[in-house]
Amino acid sequence: MRRSWLFWFAVGSFVGILVSLLVAGGLFWAWQRSDRLASGVIVDGVPIGNLPIPLARQRLQSALTKWQQLSVTLVVGEEPIQTLSAQQLGIAPDVDATLQDAYQIGRRPSPLDSWRELLDASRKGRTVNWRWQLSERMAVETLRRLADRLNRPPQRAWVEWENGQVRIIPSQDGQRLDIAATLESWRQRLAEGRWRTLPLVVRKERPEVTTEDVAVIDGVVGEATTFFKAWERNRSHNIRLAAQRLDHVFIPPGETISFNELVGPRTLRRGFRIARVLVRGHFTQDFGGGVCQVSGTLYNAALKAGMKVVQRHRHSRPIGYLPAGLDATVDFGKLDLRLQNPFPTPLYLRTFVRGGRLTILILGKRQDGVTYRLVRQVTQFGTKSEKQIPDPTLPPGRTQIVDKGSIGYRVTVWRWRLENGVVTERELISHDIYAPQPRLLRVGISRGMNHQPAPEQKPSEQIFQPVSDTGR
């Protein structure tokens, strides 16, 4: 009888426990599927445990105002730059994300882990940290204002030529606020809850020409000077403008420069004026007249500096400001002057225009005892013929010179490299042929009168002695 009572007591106890577990499990299952938070949950000192989510949201939102005036320090490295409020930066607690974290307490994938977490929260309490959100619009506006203050363009190095001496103006690094990288850093800080100090990502920007780049430059390695009529205002203006665009050009070792790329199109929009130009042997008017004098002067300086000639074109006839064979014509998009720095050290262009004098210097690392000499062999051929153009607007018998014309030339140019006065290398630079150009005359005639042009003279040939031009 005693055994029977114990047996049924054990059975009853087991059934009671089982029923209790089933009831507790049912209640736990029902709770997990409700919108009620676990007991003991606290956010920033605000108890929201055992509350449905809508009521918990109301409680949290009432506590938001104190966060708006919290200060945030923006720093570059360890240096404070500015202190703003969280509201000014668009930083605020993310109530929905925080509630979602709180809601997950007791709702893990494992039922056993969920039950343990729920009991632990109800006994000891459970603090949930705020999740934070950033208004990117407000943050970007703030960063753009800061960029105006922080951004500093790099300052390149300059090489001055004063009283026969090189003077280097040092370069300065610039800096730029990287807005995209800064925002990414801020997002990471907010996710970690460490936003009271926020870093500004500032990138260093190196100048295109640094002090180190030009440190080896110690003097003039090549120079050339040509002259022009300063009273020809448009042509003088074009020469000055083109020379300005060559001034302070840095040429690294192995680099090739293009005259057309440096000077650009010769158009009104780019500041060039109409002046006399040479086209197919005849003079006319067009934008950029005079620019070829700058390219020719640069060409001569480059030859005397030992630069490699990659591309060069002669004029259709000799020009007055340079000896035949040493000119260099250019035409944007068609004819270019391209020069290469063959040395292991950089070169640097300086241009000077004073009155009717154009000087181009090429600065670099001087080689002790090394100079370059230009040697020309000029062969003259043909004679200057005459071509008369009837012009009824002139009085009969009156003549007017349109073009003085020229004889023909064959010109070969060599460059000699000398070390301590001894020729160590002879380099053929160019072989040019300038065809004879007739002398053009306008001749006044009576209206209706036929005019027979004078017969051209038979060409003849003669040889000039070699001429040399020497320079460093």
Side-chain angles (χ1 to χ4, degrees):
M1 194 70 184
R2 182 179 178 84
R3 181 178 300 176
S4 177
W5 179 82
L6 291 175
F7 172 77
W8 289 110
F9 178 78
V11 170
S13 298
F14 174 77
V15 171
I17 292 171
L18 181 62
V19 170
S20 297
L21 289 174
L22 288 174
V23 171
L27 292 174
F28 179 61
W29 181 85
W31 173 84
Q32 279 191 319
R33 282 151 184 79
S34 72
D35 66 348
R36 191 171 292 274
L37 300 176
S39 179
V41 175
I42 300 173
V43 176
D44 189 30
V46 179
I48 57 173
N50 208 30
L51 294 177
I53 287 179
L55 184 56
R57 179 181 290 107
Q58 291 178 11
R59 284 199 181 181
L60 291 180
Q61 287 175 340
S62 65
L64 293 183
T65 54
K66 73 174 185 178
W67 291 101
Q68 296 176 351
Q69 300 307 317
L70 285 181
S71 63
V72 182
T73 303
L74 307 181
V75 298
V76 175
E78 299 296 328
E79 179 185 359
I81 299 299
Q82 189 171 4
T83 299
L84 300 169
S85 69
Q87 186 178 27
Q88 288 175 305
L89 287 173
I91 296 175
D94 189 335
V95 174
D96 289 336
T98 304
L99 284 173
Q100 184 62 31
D101 289 344
Y103 183 76
Q104 293 303 315
I105 297 173
R107 294 178 172 88
R108 308 302 178 185
S110 168
L112 184 58
D113 291 342
S114 298
W115 178 254
R116 288 174 178 171
E117 188 177 41
L118 182 64
L119 291 177
D120 189 64
S122 64
R123 292 172 182 172
K124 302 177 182 178
R126 178 70 175 270
T127 298
V128 176
N129 293 323
W130 277 113
R131 294 279 293 273
W132 301 94
Q133 60 186 348
L134 177 69
S135 169
E136 293 206 3
R137 179 186 62 80
M138 296 178 66
V140 167
E141 289 177 357
T142 299
L143 289 174
R144 283 176 176 167
R145 289 193 296 270
L146 280 171
D148 293 337
R149 192 175 105 197
L150 294 175
N151 287 359
R152 182 178 67 246
Q155 302 293 324
R156 57 161 287 180
W158 302 92
V159 180
E160 298 293 349
W161 181 250
E162 298 174 348
N163 302 319
Q165 297 291 326
V166 167
R167 182 173 69 90
I168 295 176
I169 301 176
S171 62
Q172 293 182 3
D173 290 339
Q175 63 181 28
R176 176 182 58 84
L177 177 60
D178 190 332
I179 293 179
T182 298
L183 285 174
E184 183 60 32
S185 174
W186 288 8
R187 294 188 198 101
Q188 182 65 30
R189 289 276 189 141
L190 286 169
E192 297 169 357
R194 301 183 299 115
W195 52 268
R196 297 298 300 276
T197 299
L198 292 177
L200 299 170
V201 181
V202 177
R203 308 291 188 191
K204 179 187 290 186
E205 292 192 328
R206 296 285 283 169
E208 57 180 346
V209 182
T210 66
T211 304
E212 295 77 15
D213 290 334
V214 298
V216 299
I217 295 175
D218 60 7
V220 176
V221 296
E223 65 178 297
T225 297
T226 57
F227 299 88
F228 58 93
K229 298 174 182 178
W231 59 86
E232 294 182 352
R233 297 180 61 182
N234 283 3
R235 190 171 186 276
S236 299
H237 168 85
N238 293 337
I239 289 173
R240 289 189 180 89
L241 185 58
Q244 287 172 4
R245 291 176 181 173
L246 295 181
D247 200 19
H248 291 287
V249 169
F250 175 74
I251 312 173
E255 187 83 7
T256 297
I257 60 170
S258 161
F259 183 90
N260 281 340
E261 289 179 4
L262 293 173
V263 176
R266 273 68 90 181
T267 61
L268 179 63
R269 177 175 294 181
R270 291 184 59 84
F272 289 96
R273 299 175 181 175
I274 293 177
R276 186 181 61 171
V277 295
L278 181 60
V279 179
R280 297 185 184 88
H282 299 290
F283 290 101
T284 184
Q285 299 286 316
D286 202 354
F287 286 102
V291 169
C292 286
Q293 181 160 349
V294 182
S295 61
T297 308
L298 173 63
Y299 176 60
N300 279 255
L303 289 177
K304 296 172 186 179
M307 294 185 71
K308 180 181 178 182
V309 181
V310 178
Q311 183 181 357
R312 170 259 175 185
H313 303 273
R314 64 167 177 82
H315 285 83
S316 53
R317 61 192 289 177
I319 38 84
Y321 51 82
L322 280 169
L326 295 179
D327 58 319
T329 186
V330 288
D331 185 6
F332 191 84
K334 298 176 183 177
L335 306 177
D336 200 1
L337 173 65
R338 301 178 72 238
L339 305 164
Q340 185 185 53
N341 176 8
F343 304 109
T345 54
L347 298 173
Y348 195 95
L349 302 185
R350 291 304 321 272
T351 63
F352 303 93
V353 180
R354 295 185 179 93
R357 179 189 181 101
L358 166 65
T359 298
I360 295 182
L361 304 181
I362 300 181
L363 307 177
K365 175 66 176 175
R366 289 178 293 191
Q367 304 176 66
D368 292 338
V370 175
T371 57
Y372 293 91
R373 176 178 298 170
L374 304 181
V375 178
R376 299 184 306 135
Q377 181 176 342
V378 183
T379 302
Q380 175 182 320
F381 69 94
T383 58
K384 190 176 356 180
S385 60
E386 183 177 291
K387 183 176 181 181
Q388 297 182 354
I389 303 172
D391 189 346
T393 63
L394 292 177
R398 177 78 60 85
T399 61
Q400 185 180 76
I401 298 175
V402 177
D403 192 328
K404 294 180 180 180
S406 65
I407 58 177
Y409 294 94
R410 296 185 182 92
V411 184
T412 303
V413 177
W414 290 270
R415 178 168 58 188
W416 293 358
R417 184 180 186 274
L418 296 88
E419 292 188 21
N420 299 317
V422 178
V423 178
T424 60
E425 183 181 341
R426 292 179 174 87
E427 178 187 3
L428 175 63
I429 296 297
S430 61
H431 182 73
D432 297 326
I433 299 177
Y434 301 87
Q437 299 294 330
R439 181 170 182 259
L440 298 180
L441 289 176
R442 293 189 183 277
V443 180
I445 61 172
S446 300
R447 296 185 183 276
M449 175 181 175
N450 291 327
H451 176 78
Q452 297 295 329
E456 296 185 358
Q457 301 180 32
K458 183 178 180 180
S460 62
E461 183 171 308
Q462 52 183 312
I463 305 296
F464 281 178
Q465 293 296 320
V467 179
S468 68
D469 298 294
T470 305
R472 291 189 294 175

